Amino acid sequence: MNKKSNNTYRRLLAHLAYLREKLFVWTALPGEINKWWRTRAELRLVAEGQGWRIEGEDKEKARIAYAHLIDGRLKLFL
């Protein structure tokens, strides 16, 4: 890696550390992200009556959320 790229990468790592430590932003490791996407890909929404339910392994970790545009603002409902 050349010096400029190395410095840029170090600044990125320092910024992520700041976000994590000072602003309490969650930062995931690449393996955690990979596992999450693979798990999510196996989950399915199933219609049930007038609602929905989640099926699949680790379904208890998932949530169904609805987003609506209300007065020009996006509102999220869990």
Side-chain angles (χ1 to χ4, degrees):
M1 184 181 301
N2 66 40
K3 188 174 181 177
K4 182 178 178 183
S5 296
N6 192 8
N7 286 338
T8 300
Y9 184 62
R10 287 179 183 272
R11 286 194 348 254
L12 171 64
L13 293 178
H15 181 67
L16 292 173
Y18 169 81
L19 293 175
R20 184 180 61 248
E21 294 165 11
K22 302 296 183 191
L23 302 179
F24 305 103
V25 172
W26 177 69
T27 54
L29 297 172
E32 294 170 323
I33 295 168
N34 179 51
K35 183 178 184 315
W36 182 85
W37 276 108
R38 289 179 186 275
T39 298
R40 185 183 181 280
E42 296 298 319
L43 296 174
R44 298 286 173 257
L45 277 177
V46 177
E48 182 174 65
Q50 293 189 1
W52 297 90
R53 64 182 163 83
I54 301 170
E55 283 296 318
E57 189 174 335
D58 286 337
K59 66 182 180 186
E60 65 280 352
K61 295 179 182 178
R63 298 290 177 267
I64 299 172
Y66 302 90
H68 299 278
L69 193 58
I70 300 173
D71 297 327
R73 297 185 62 151
L74 191 64
K75 302 279 184 163
L76 183 67
F77 300 92
L78 299 176

